[in-house]
Amino acid sequence: MTPTTEAIVVGGGYAGVVAANRLTTNPDLRVTLINPRPTFVERIRLHQHAIGAYDAALSFTDVLAPSVRRTVDTVTRIDPTSRSLQLANGDVARYDYLVYAVGSHSAEPAVPGATEHSYPLSTLEQARAVHERLHATGPAAPVVVVGGGATGIETAAELAEADSSVTLVTGGEVGEYLHPAARREVRRLLGRLGVTVLEAAEVTAVGAHVVHLADGRELPSRTTVWTAGFGVPDLAARSGLDTDATGRLRTDETL
């Protein structure tokens, strides 16, 4: 018997793919994944894609259960009253259950010049732009990575292993979400790779070839990679759903 209960997953990242696959274990559900891109992007490998060491894009057939239906489109609005989704192509998709898994992206930097002269790294296209920039400037050109979180650490390390001259700048401590022992190990490994780490350093402006710090230092940089901060798609807020100040959908303790 063909299942008639519709479960739609919005977003084809890690959470969306895992959710869709888990839902297929319920024979009463017909599962659809809606994602604007026809391929699955390994976001945690984008720093490798940026230096040309890894493709970071896989076919959804390699990661999704065969029974998951796929729609390549963008959801523009959620109407929970009618349990329907408005798609960018004008279609309407109706659901019985909806999984909201749209993920996050780099935040728009508020630092003067950062939007014009730095490169974010949260999408496949952004990773390709970093790769093209690095190829154009050459391995000897200095690189500044702004942000001491996982993306910043991994990007700085990957670039250093590719023989780039890298400075990692963070407003707090590198990997401050880690245990102190792990932070010490991260610093040690970055130092071994030749990465210059500047902690408690505030970036006040970014130029075409320089990064300005609050203490007056000027860091030469032919490529500035911006990994500080995050934002979220505005789908929930645009749909009139309950969100926090950053636009994240509010949930209860069971999601």
Side-chain angles (χ1 to χ4, degrees), residues 171-186:
E173 292 185 85
V174 169
E176 58 187 5
Y177 56 94
L178 299 170
H179 186 278
R183 289 201 296 271
R184 289 193 295 271
E185 182 66 6
V186 167

Side-chain angles (χ1 to χ4, degrees), residues 53-254:
Y54 191 80
D55 186 27
L58 300 173
S59 170
F60 272 117
T61 59
D62 294 331
V63 295
L64 275 179
S67 62
V68 176
R69 300 185 304 170
R70 284 174 286 157
T71 298
V72 180
D73 208 334
T74 299
V75 176
T76 59
R77 186 173 178 82
I78 301 169
D79 185 351
T81 302
S82 64
R83 294 192 174 188
S84 65
L85 306 174
Q86 183 70 46
L87 305 184
N89 68 2
D91 290 346
V92 174
R94 304 194 182 280
Y95 64 86
D96 296 292
Y97 298 99
L98 179 68
V99 177
Y100 187 85
V102 298
S104 63
H105 53 71
S106 297
E108 187 73 22
V111 173
T115 300
E116 297 83 1
H117 302 300
S118 69
Y119 293 79
L121 190 58
S122 64
T123 69
L124 189 65
E125 290 75 18
Q126 290 169 350
R128 286 172 179 163
V130 173
H131 176 69
E132 291 170 2
R133 174 67 177 180
L134 293 170
H135 180 74
T137 57
V143 178
V144 172
V145 177
V146 180
T151 302
I153 292 169
E154 291 167 340
T155 301
E158 200 73 41
L159 290 168
E161 287 186 324
D163 297 324
S164 293
S165 175
V166 184
T167 300
L168 176 62
V169 180
T170 178
E173 292 185 85
V174 169
E176 58 187 5
Y177 56 94
L178 299 170
H179 186 278
R183 289 201 296 271
R184 289 193 295 271
E185 182 66 6
V186 167
R187 293 189 191 98
R188 186 187 70 81
L189 292 173
L190 289 174
R192 192 179 74 180
L193 290 170
V195 177
T196 299
V197 177
L198 302 179
E199 296 181 299
E202 180 187 355
V203 176
T204 57
V206 179
H209 299 132
V210 64
V211 173
H212 300 271
L213 303 184
D215 60 10
R217 282 179 291 178
E218 296 182 350
L219 308 177
S221 179
R222 294 300 301 275
T223 304
T224 301
V225 182
W226 196 276
T227 70
F230 80 99
V232 297
D234 66 350
L235 174 59
R238 190 171 1 108
S239 301
L241 304 180
D242 185 22
T243 62
D244 66 7
T246 63
R248 293 177 295 186
L249 183 63
R250 295 186 189 274
T251 69
D252 62 17
E253 64 275 11
T254 65

